[in-house]
Amino acid sequence: MAKYSRLNKDDAAVLLIDHQVGLMSLVRDMEPDTYKNNVLAVADLAEYFNLPTILTTSFEDGPNGPLLPELIEKFPNAPLIARPGQINAWDNEDFVAAVKATGKKQLIIAGIVTEVCVAFPALAALEEEFEVFIVTDASGTFNQITRDAAWDRMSKAGAQLMSWFAVASELHRDWRNDVEGLGALFANHISDYANLMTQYNTVKGS
Amino acid sequence: MAKYSRLNKDDAAVLLIDHQVGLMSLVRDMEPDTYKNNVLAVADLAEYFNLPTILTTSFEDGPNGPLLPELIEKFPNAPLIARPGQINAWDNEDFVAAVKATGKKQLIIAGIVTEVCVAFPALAALEEEFEVFIVTDASGTFNQITRDAAWDRMSKAGAQLMSWFAVASELHRDWRNDVEGLGALFANHISDYANLMTQYNTVKGS
Amino acid sequence: MAKYSRLNKDDAAVLLIDHQVGLMSLVRDMEPDTYKNNVLAVADLAEYFNLPTILTTSFEDGPNGPLLPELIEKFPNAPLIARPGQINAWDNEDFVAAVKATGKKQLIIAGIVTEVCVAFPALAALEEEFEVFIVTDASGTFNQITRDAAWDRMSKAGAQLMSWFAVASELHRDWRNDVEGLGALFANHISDYANLMTQYNTVKGS
Amino acid sequence: MAKYSRLNKDDAAVLLIDHQVGLMSLVRDMEPDTYKNNVLAVADLAEYFNLPTILTTSFEDGPNGPLLPELIEKFPNAPLIARPGQINAWDNEDFVAAVKATGKKQLIIAGIVTEVCVAFPALAALEEEFEVFIVTDASGTFNQITRDAAWDRMSKAGAQLMSWFAVASELHRDWRNDVEGLGALFANHISDYANLMTQYNTVKGS
Amino acid sequence: MAKYSRLNKDDAAVLLIDHQVGLMSLVRDMEPDTYKNNVLAVADLAEYFNLPTILTTSFEDGPNGPLLPELIEKFPNAPLIARPGQINAWDNEDFVAAVKATGKKQLIIAGIVTEVCVAFPALAALEEEFEVFIVTDASGTFNQITRDAAWDRMSKAGAQLMSWFAVASELHRDWRNDVEGLGALFANHISDYANLMTQYNTVKGS
Amino acid sequence: MAKYSRLNKDDAAVLLIDHQVGLMSLVRDMEPDTYKNNVLAVADLAEYFNLPTILTTSFEDGPNGPLLPELIEKFPNAPLIARPGQINAWDNEDFVAAVKATGKKQLIIAGIVTEVCVAFPALAALEEEFEVFIVTDASGTFNQITRDAAWDRMSKAGAQLMSWFAVASELHRDWRNDVEGLGALFANHISDYANLMTQYNTVKGS
Amino acid sequence: MAKYSRLNKDDAAVLLIDHQVGLMSLVRDMEPDTYKNNVLAVADLAEYFNLPTILTTSFEDGPNGPLLPELIEKFPNAPLIARPGQINAWDNEDFVAAVKATGKKQLIIAGIVTEVCVAFPALAALEEEFEVFIVTDASGTFNQITRDAAWDRMSKAGAQLMSWFAVASELHRDWRNDVEGLGALFANHISDYANLMTQYNTVKGS
Amino acid sequence: MAKYSRLNKDDAAVLLIDHQVGLMSLVRDMEPDTYKNNVLAVADLAEYFNLPTILTTSFEDGPNGPLLPELIEKFPNAPLIARPGQINAWDNEDFVAAVKATGKKQLIIAGIVTEVCVAFPALAALEEEFEVFIVTDASGTFNQITRDAAWDRMSKAGAQLMSWFAVASELHRDWRNDVEGLGALFANHISDYANLMTQYNTVKGS
């Protein structure tokens, strides 16, 4: 009855929308360093699972600024669609073409700001029968009111709300696929997890 | 499948309900100056996109007080329905007539207080098959409990919860329609955005 | 399409469940005086709109304690079902009989604690095709987590989440039915509103 | 119409997933002692109602650590599936077999972390037409954002969100089934309730 | 060494400054009904302990509005100095004369807003070697930042920060002076306390 | 210059004031179970360090209720002064006599409510040149405003604000005095600490 | 004994330190628009009371960006010391010279960030026997921890912590000096106050 | 009068106390990743300003765990005193000897937990006439109550409360000493600052 619509690493692509250094200053619903950590975690998981990744920016030559340099470095060969004006990335033909070129039906989306740059393409993609997974903690906005409204709109339209940790865990399925790799991904972005590992290895090895 | 019900500037009207100076003192789920800023942002976007706008008040000659003066000034020719007693604006024939006279099927609604002056007409309009978009951050109420309850009731009935920034962005569609105008709208109501623009222009021009 | 299921004073009954002095100490998701004020506001609106009101308690001779004295005083003739053990009031035949004896199909429910004494009868009543309106701010529980879970469960089952102010406003429909009465109800439970009235009357009368 | 899907002690099993001492340090959406108290309350109610209970762990020989010792002590004969790698317990055949061996169709689930170890098996079980009840306050995660996203995903798929207190109350149905036993369960995990009982007994007995 | 500067009912006077209905809307560091309850508790304790009480207002014929009607009713014979313009009440000779006419050296002060109408006369009175006790929870202001700054300034100058409950308790010294009276004062303003009393009396009397 | 006034187990006594089951319901500045855990931690440390401990209650035969049963059990031979009416325990001669009979000059004080039952005797004891250490997290009150005011008043008079963990740590001085005992004290009241120990022992022992 | 060190408009100068558009994005202990409003309120009061005002910036040609344009516009003739590198403005001779040239001994200071650009010159000025008044709500920093630490350091050194509203009120002394002017200052920066005035004038004039 | 006791890079040493991976899990007054970032920022500034740095641990072979690996790596030659049992590091002769061997009189202290491992040696060092500067945001504890109490105790004894950003800024004095170096330190630990720099360099260079 209730179909479990589950992320599958062979079916998924990642869309990183407008993580630009100027727009980062608008994000006030999370602490700035926490937020950046989450964004980089999504980037790392995209790379780790080898998911096709598409970058896009809005007016990167203006006040919104360039993409986070870490994203540019990590995805030198990813499509980076600098939109000439479309607010909804899905209104940009190149962007949609890039998405469709991946051949994937599951879209993992994060961006700034949640209610616009994330919600608009999410809603448009749902209309075209993509499965949409929002990385909520890598999507930032002005405050909790605007976040809650955005989540409600996307969820009602069928998007699944997740965290980067849930996305990585659902894609990985089984630790035995690679204990080291997933452990490193977690330890690099969750200090509590790194502490557990350090303590374990210390006691074990002593 | 999931239809993207999207704001369109040719299809939308704005309903500003009971933004009266007395009632403003009841709003405690946002900081007062933040809230007023959001209300004026909705007014500015209504004017900017040239959307038909309808004002209404409840007992404006009594304790509830007159409309915010800024709204009166901005919309000197808009219908202003001073309701003689109806709590739900949709129970007032003149109000409904004014709404229907706009010929628009998308209603952007904000007001005080959220669970009454916003929710009641929203629910009534949904029943008559209007599309309803609530400007959550320009709708204020007593506390977060009453807000959350109001949102849940409206959302379940089909209203879309948005912020003024999302409304403006969805209406504008493409920055190229007018970069200056939308930029000014944002800079006037989001100081972080104004700062980005000032810094950019300063460095660019230096 | 989206039917506006609206409270109607001829169709509604009020169920006050387990507002007992001992259980009041368990309520920690609102300030205690704020919470009590909300409960008394529901009692006042029930009396004001002359709605059939049913009281019930759980083990009132034990640690849970007697009903708030103000409720006993206000509803000396209302059915007060002291349940001998049923946790869900709807499992008590006398309670259900009392509800059905009112002949009303709209049930306005508040109680302690939200996820049990409110949610259980609400869910049972919905199953029997009553319309259910939860007075969220007159329903208290241990913390925000338990509240949020309870709201989600009730809302999904079809209950409408409201506040006492929304309930009173929806029942009244039009201030002209009685300006004095509704104004007094509001002023007695919303100090901000009382202040607006005092200032207005002072300036007007000066 | 709205079926009241109600917990029934003859139909329910309890799944406790990954309440491991290392993972406990990741839980930051509740105070640590509050959280542990809630987990032990679920264990106590499982024992009290004699519900089949299944324990599972993820990498218990590594950084995640062993189960909380109190759980091991309380359920010495319960199936304890130490998963060799599957992140979603439902991907582990032994776990699913143990669940199915109970013959129950109502699953009460709690675990760490909410969006992964709880949500994944919950979604999988819903797909197989189990009724799923999440014990929200015995399920912990990194922060409120990840919690809210997890709840939304599970709720939309049909899981019912509850608290341990609601679970115990719905299972018990009627205090007369055992006043002492349920009272003790509550007093042991809710200090406010213990205080009410002490005061009552003192005054009564004086 | 550390002299315990203790309130004494023979030595104390109460100064209620600018608790005007308009100014009440500026108070945002407490919930409005909580705040009003605290103000009325101070009034009740002043009456209960028969302390000389002085009222003062700022521009009561303008936007600031009249005193809370409950204060006017309770203190019909108290000096009420309507200041013609002085912001610091201590700059008003009539006010200072009224204070000095009480012959008391301990001043219990509350008012709106904390950092101005409370802090300024408090600092002035300290300079004249009065002992000053601020009723912190009956003194309101715009937000927590302005409150914290005001407290720091007053505390460093020697004012003692108290709550109305502490003031009443320190003045009363011993319950045996009047159990009924103090109990009523507490029960009228602390619902938790009223609940304890109701439960006790019920069980005792049963 | 700045004398380090340090707790010394040979010089210290513990005063537990009015931790009565009725008064517990007034404590709203901490979660109730967290608060009770802290109170019991103070009791455990008093026993562990074998500190003379004095209990006192206010009207224990009335609404305030009896002491927490756990305290009565733990200190069967401690002086328990049931004050006949004095609000400030230091106004009770038996209490002061009991304190002085200990021969200690360092007083570790906790109680309900902070601004009255803790602050008043603390201020009185400071005046008599005792050194006073407040266990802030075992002292509860109505809300954060009343807490902050109480702390300011006590701190300015010379009391040292501590937590139960700091008190235990300062008394113990060196783990080598008893690793097991202090570890058990911590593990019993800090679940995070218990988890660290369980994990350590598990890995070490494996 | 406790000297009331009171702001006096003939003795005071205003120092606005590093309110630069880039640095504004670092301020996270207040909402950005609230913070900007407070800064502009200080600017307006400086102008209104005709206080000598000194502006300074740190690296305004770099990432920190230029001063808020509104400040530049308002104080075209004020000294604006662009510090070539000194972090503490008081280490810059031109800045100190400008301060001393005002001949004022009371310094009203605000800036970004509180613990550095405000605290350092405040501490230095106190050492030179200036009286220092910090405008706490026009001084911003990263979070509440850094704010609290900064306040404690400055307060202990003798700085007085105020809000812009307290500064304006203390400088003005008496409304009769200019009702219109002060009213306008307040109405322009406190929407609640503007609402009170609008309502009053409307009712009065009707 | 008020001596500005200012950090000076020639006079200061850094004490990092018990930043052990097990103890990290006890820190609940900051987000874990935020806290770790602050600790590493202190380490980086110690290295950057070439300050003598002393590390110490408590029972590092037990549940408390080893130091954060990043600290061990950064300070391979720093004294690392593994205390055999002393809770207050100042009770360990080797630690005090190491501190005194630096010849510095200004001690910059951070550690876990604030009220014990930081406060105890801070109070002891103050007694020996060291100047003590607490890095508040690199010192973590169980919750805000324990933090506030610890701060109050240390501040009253003369410790100065700072943040790592304030420490670095006060030590550096003048950007011209090294713009690149300090900029890198800030950019590495404050993402908002990094964003400002990226945007500036991008626009400047374009």
Side-chain angles (χ1 to χ4, degrees), chain F residues 182-204:
Chain F
L182 190 69
L185 178 66
F186 289 173
N188 287 341
H189 294 287
I190 306 172
S191 66
D192 279 335
Y193 210 85
N195 292 334
L196 289 176
M197 290 173 68
T198 300
Q199 171 70 338
Y200 175 75
N201 292 331
T202 302
V203 181
K204 195 71 185 174

Side-chain angles (χ1 to χ4, degrees), chain H residues 39 42 44 47 56 68 73 105 112 134 142 154 167 199:
Chain H
V39 173
V42 175
D44 280 359
E47 179 187 48
T56 181
L68 283 171
E73 264 177 63
K105 291 304 281 179
I112 301 173
I134 305 300
F142 301 103
M154 295 189 289
V167 168
Q199 171 70 336

Side-chain angles (χ1 to χ4, degrees), chain A residues 141-168:
Chain A
T141 179
F142 302 103
N143 53 56
Q144 193 167 344
I145 292 179
T146 57
R147 176 172 77 205
D148 288 350
W151 284 28
D152 184 82
R153 196 181 190 207
M154 293 189 290
S155 173
K156 282 202 310 184
Q160 296 196 58
L161 305 181
M162 297 186 73
S163 63
W164 73 260
F165 184 77
V167 168

Side-chain angles (χ1 to χ4, degrees), chain E residues 22-23 25-26 28 58-59 61-64 84-88 91 113 115-116 120 123-124 126-127 129 142 144-146 148-150 152-153 156-157, chain G residues 1-6 29-30 133 136-137 147 151 155 158-163 165-166 169-170 172-176 179 182 190 192-193 196-197 200:
Chain E
L23 296 175
S25 76
L26 304 183
R28 300 256 175 182
S58 164
F59 276 136
D61 296 329
N64 294 351
Q86 300 95 343
I87 292 175
N88 182 344
D91 285 343
V113 299
E115 69 270 39
V116 172
F120 292 179
L123 295 168
L126 285 162
E127 195 173 43
E129 310 231 346
F142 302 102
Q144 193 167 345
I145 292 180
T146 57
D148 287 350
D152 184 80
R153 196 181 190 208
K156 282 203 310 183
Chain G
M1 189 179 69
K3 171 107 183 47
Y4 176 13
S5 169
R6 186 175 185 171
D29 64 330
M30 279 173 259
F133 302 81
T136 53
D137 50 358
R147 177 172 77 206
W151 285 27
S155 173
Q160 297 196 58
L161 305 181
M162 298 186 72
S163 64
F165 184 76
S169 299
E170 195 158 274
H172 199 61
R173 297 283 168 97
D174 195 313
W175 276 94
R176 289 168 298 186
V179 173
L182 192 68
I190 307 172
D192 280 335
Y193 210 87
L196 289 176
M197 290 173 68
Y200 176 75

